[in-house]
Amino acid sequence: MTAPTPAASAAPAEQAKEDTPGGLQVSENGYTLNPLTSAIKPGEPTDFRFTVTGPDGEPVTDYQVEHDKKLHFIVVSRDLGSFQHLHPAEAGDGVWSVQLTLPEAGTYRAFADFGPRRTWAWPWAQAPTPRSRRAI
């Protein structure tokens, strides 16, 4: 048996990424949701804290407002029996905080829906670029 060539071993990973539906990956277009809270007890309100890091690996701190909020945080149980659409507050330095109560133990998926504000890198002007929504 021979070892696969690098091109052959990379193909399944690339294929899997292309086949993954939007919102089911850990990162999208370089943006990643990073939980800072490690444990949540069912039925107890928890201060859930997280950051969103951008393509440069740094926390995103400048967001565009969409539907009156900078970020919408959605938490759904695996069986779809629980759905929460929450609006976290900015805690500073790219950290977000929201009161989260999960009804029971189990698997949940969290989505952050946001639009980062981008600016041109010209020293004489800073103009926003077109809105770019991200759901991760």
Side-chain angles (χ1 to χ4, degrees):
M1 178 173 211
T2 61
T5 64
S9 63
E14 290 172 15
Q15 184 66 33
K17 184 177 179 183
E18 290 175 9
D19 290 345
T20 303
L24 294 183
Q25 59 274 38
V26 174
S27 297
E28 184 174 324
N29 296 324
Y31 292 90
T32 304
L33 174 65
N34 303 291
L36 301 176
T37 303
S38 59
I40 300 174
K41 291 185 180 182
E44 292 185 18
T46 301
D47 179 27
F48 186 80
R49 298 169 70 82
F50 63 93
T51 63
V52 174
T53 52
D56 61 0
E58 296 296 318
V60 177
T61 57
D62 196 10
Y63 294 82
Q64 295 186 39
V65 174
E66 180 73 22
H67 302 296
D68 297 323
K69 301 293 179 185
K70 291 182 178 181
L71 189 141
H72 301 266
F73 189 65
I74 298 147
V75 180
V76 184
S77 63
R78 183 178 200 137
D79 67 1
L80 304 178
S82 173
F83 174 90
Q84 297 179 56
H85 178 163
L86 307 167
H87 299 117
E90 291 178 274
D93 295 327
V95 176
W96 292 88
S97 176
V98 67
Q99 280 294 114
L100 177 62
T101 305
L102 299 179
E104 57 189 41
T107 303
Y108 292 80
R109 182 164 300 278
F111 302 87
D113 183 23
F114 61 92
R117 184 178 309 275
R118 298 182 186 177
T119 58
W120 297 104
W122 298 327
W124 60 87
Q126 291 208 342
T129 62
R131 181 167 181 74
S132 176
R133 297 291 300 166
R134 302 282 181 249
I136 53 176

